[in-house]
Amino acid sequence: MQTGTSKFALTGRSQQLDPRIHAFRPDLADIALADRLFAAHFASSILRFCATPFTAIRLSPDGEQTSELLHDEGFSVLDVTGDWAWGWSAHDHYVGYVASNDLALEKSERLCTNVHADPIAVARRFLGMAYVWGGRGGAGIDCSGLVQRSFAEGGFDVPRDSDLQREHFGQFVDPASASAGDLVFFPGHVGILTGNDTLLHATRHHGRVVKEPLSDVTARILLKHQQGIVAVKRSSNSV
């Protein structure tokens, strides 16, 4: 999958890129980054699809799970070495390693979204699911995975991690004006506000997806951090 003698011009210094969403290693990088950094080799990706109910996306081969690929979701492969494919998930460009045997040439069915899906209603379907770092609803789910899945069914492209969601998704609103469907951000955490000041979120504290009073979550966060709620954001279809 490595390119041949493609020529490009790189002017100025290499830019600081986020390795979570930009595919580059010391030995290889995505050809789309050729105008932004120096690399020993560049490659064009080949699209493959998750052939299993779910599979982990890992930081390194056999390393920590950072996200999850679900059945029929696309994975853009830049390199295959041994049992591992390196690339990014097609829906959010999240970079990592996937077991190559879990990928197929074609998907088995067409994935679709419901533009009228209520993110709160979608999130409620995950209530009780185990909290798993890096999960998106396969082996379990984490806080930002729950947000991503809940809004994706309504056709929204939501980043994978909570800091990226806070920076790139929705519009900031005054916490005093927060309403159902808004995202509430804490240091390293995010949840979906439902009615009556209740937060629906995947939490390591309870080990699962729960609904609980927003005040309880804020108080618990303040035991470890100087600030509780750091931002509230609203999508265009919040209810």
Side-chain angles (χ1 to χ4, degrees), residues 26-216:
D27 64 320
L28 183 65
D30 179 9
I31 188 64
L33 302 177
D35 62 341
R36 283 180 276 177
L37 57 76
F38 291 106
H41 302 282
F42 290 94
S44 298
S45 65
I46 296 177
L47 186 61
R48 295 292 183 260
F49 300 92
C50 181
T52 55
F54 58 89
T55 188
I57 298 177
R58 301 187 182 278
L59 186 62
S60 60
D62 286 320
E64 178 187 33
Q65 176 175 324
T66 54
S67 191
E68 199 170 45
L69 200 65
L70 304 179
H71 182 63
D72 273 347
E73 288 184 336
F75 190 77
S76 296
V77 178
L78 290 170
D79 178 55
V80 178
T81 302
D83 297 330
W84 296 94
W86 178 68
W88 69 86
S89 54
H91 64 277
D92 60 8
H93 219 280
Y94 210 74
V95 177
Y97 290 82
V98 168
S100 56
N101 287 340
D102 290 345
L103 299 176
L105 294 176
E106 299 179 350
K107 57 184 177 181
S108 60
E109 58 188 39
R110 182 180 180 183
L111 295 175
C112 61
T113 58
N114 176 7
V115 295
H116 302 294
D118 173 10
I120 296 177
V122 176
R124 285 193 181 112
R125 301 206 309 257
F126 293 95
L127 280 168
M129 176 172 281
Y131 177 90
V132 171
W133 176 266
R136 295 181 54 249
I141 201 162
D142 64 15
C143 65
S144 55
L146 177 66
V147 167
Q148 186 184 62
R149 289 290 308 278
S150 299
F151 282 86
E153 290 204 21
F156 287 92
D157 294 325
V158 182
R160 177 62 182 92
D161 291 342
S162 62
D163 64 320
L164 297 174
Q165 293 170 357
R166 185 179 67 248
E167 183 177 353
H168 299 295
F169 180 66
Q171 298 80 41
F172 288 102
V173 297
D174 186 338
S177 303
S179 61
D182 289 347
L183 299 181
V184 183
F185 292 90
F186 309 87
H189 189 61
V190 63
I192 302 172
L193 192 67
T194 65
N196 301 318
D197 294 325
T198 299
L199 192 74
L200 199 165
H201 62 144
T203 167
R204 189 192 301 270
H205 178 78
H206 293 292
R208 64 187 187 279
V209 179
V210 299
K211 289 195 302 180
E212 60 179 322
L214 177 61
S215 58
D216 288 358

